[in-house]
Amino acid sequence: MITHGKEVKVFAANANRPFAEGVCRALGVPLGEGTVTTFADGEVSVTLNETVRGCDVFIVQPTCKPVNNNLMELLVTIDACRRAS
């Protein structure tokens, strides 16, 4: 399926993890190992537990209710991926 030679990694935040797992099953790739936590004051922290350098990274994160929380998780996950590479 992947013909350009780069490894594909798919990560998910907390909005709909079963959907992300289904996407990964359909693509035939494992779900990336990452942790999304929320501090007591409501701030979001994302930790990627694997390297993404040189990979094509896709993030599965719908922006359903609660929109603010899910959107912030998406933005912080994008930032974590960007800084990790």
Side-chain angles (χ1 to χ4, degrees):
M1 181 181 131
I2 301 168
T3 59
H4 53 76
K6 287 189 176 182
E7 186 178 357
V8 172
K9 296 200 178 193
V10 179
F11 290 92
N14 293 330
N16 197 340
R17 195 162 188 90
F19 176 69
E21 291 168 351
V23 169
C24 288
R25 271 194 306 278
L27 293 174
V29 298
L31 186 62
E33 292 186 31
T35 307
V36 180
T37 56
T38 305
F39 293 112
D41 63 355
E43 291 188 25
V44 176
S45 172
V46 175
T47 305
L48 301 178
N49 299 328
E50 57 186 87
T51 183
V52 294
R53 185 174 294 260
C55 300
D56 287 336
V57 176
F58 295 90
I59 302 167
V60 179
Q61 174 72 348
T63 54
C64 55
K65 291 183 182 179
V67 175
N68 291 340
N69 295 346
N70 292 336
L71 186 59
M72 284 309 299
E73 285 182 7
L74 175 62
L75 294 174
V76 173
T77 304
I78 291 169
D79 184 61
C81 290
R82 185 108 170 130
R83 291 177 190 266
S85 65

